[in-house]
Amino acid sequence: MVNALNCPNCAAVFNPKDSICEYCGSYIITSEAKQVTYDLKEFKATYKKIFFHEIEMGLNELPMRSGLANIYYSATKSDGGRLLLTNQRLIFCAHVLNINPNLYWEISLKDVDRVELVLNLLISQRIKVFDVKGTETTFVVYGGKNWIAEIECALNQN
C-alpha cells in the first residue's frame, strides 16, 4: 500500500487517504474501488484544481463516475485501466501492468453520438461509445447499466 504520493498540482507530499492537498487545496481522487459515483456537492468551489489519477480536470469540469475497465479491441486483445466520466469528457487511462501502460483515450461529450450496452457472459458488461464520425470504442465494465445511465445523463446536460 502506498503511504504517500505527490500532489499533481504543487508536488507536496500527499497522503492518498486524504482527498484534499493540505498545501494547495487541490482535490485529488485516488480511489481503487471497482466503481464510484461521485456526489457533486463534494467538490466545493474553493478547490483550486481537481485531479483524477494525475489527470487535471478542466474549467468547471467535475467527475461523475469512475471505475475499473478494459478498453476492448477483440476477444484476445484488451488493455486494463480506469474509466472516468466527467460532466465534459469520457476518459480511459491504462494501468501500469499493461504492455502499453501509457495508453490514454478520451472523448469530449460534445463528440459522443450515443452509447449502447452489450452483455458479456453475464459477469461484466460492454459499453460501446459511438462518436459523431461513427467510430466505435468498446469498454468492458462492471455495472454497465449504471454507466449507460450516467453517460446519458451527462449527455443530456450538455
Side-chain angles (χ1 to χ4, degrees):
M1 177 77 182
V2 176
N3 293 327
L5 301 171
N6 289 62
C7 172
N9 186 45
C10 70
V13 174
F14 170 77
N15 182 344
K17 292 181 182 175
D18 297 333
S19 57
I20 301 169
C21 176
E22 67 179 287
Y23 296 98
C24 72
S26 293
Y27 193 96
I28 305 166
I29 300 168
T30 58
S31 172
E32 296 298 324
K34 281 186 180 178
Q35 302 295 315
V36 177
T37 298
Y38 300 101
D39 179 358
L40 298 184
K41 296 175 192 169
E42 183 177 349
F43 304 102
K44 300 176 183 171
T46 56
Y47 297 138
K48 293 184 179 181
K49 294 184 179 180
I50 299 174
F51 293 88
F52 173 81
H53 293 273
E54 299 187 9
I55 299 169
E56 184 177 345
M57 301 294 99
L59 183 64
N60 299 318
E61 184 174 23
L62 298 171
M64 297 176 68
R65 184 174 182 82
S66 71
L68 299 174
N70 286 341
I71 191 166
Y72 178 87
Y73 309 112
S74 70
T76 58
K77 187 174 180 200
S78 66
D79 284 310
R82 294 195 70 84
L83 189 61
L84 171 67
L85 171 65
T86 75
N87 59 338
Q88 297 177 13
R89 316 181 263 178
L90 189 59
I91 304 166
F92 174 81
C93 50
H95 54 66
V96 296
L97 301 176
N98 288 314
I99 293 172
N100 185 10
N102 297 319
L103 175 66
Y104 177 84
W105 174 94
E106 79 169 67
I107 188 170
S108 168
L109 293 182
K110 293 175 184 175
D111 296 327
V112 174
D113 180 50
R114 70 186 189 284
V115 290
E116 295 178 359
L117 178 67
V118 180
L119 288 178
N120 185 35
L121 302 175
L122 302 174
I123 298 169
S124 59
Q125 295 170 333
R126 293 183 198 168
I127 58 171
K128 291 187 177 192
V129 179
F130 296 87
D131 69 16
V132 293
K133 296 177 183 174
T135 305
E136 171 188 322
T137 306
T138 303
F139 297 95
V140 178
V141 297
Y142 293 96
K145 291 178 185 177
N146 292 331
W147 274 102
I148 295 291
E150 299 237 9
I151 294 169
E152 288 177 346
C153 179
L155 290 171
N156 291 332
Q157 292 175 1
N158 286 327

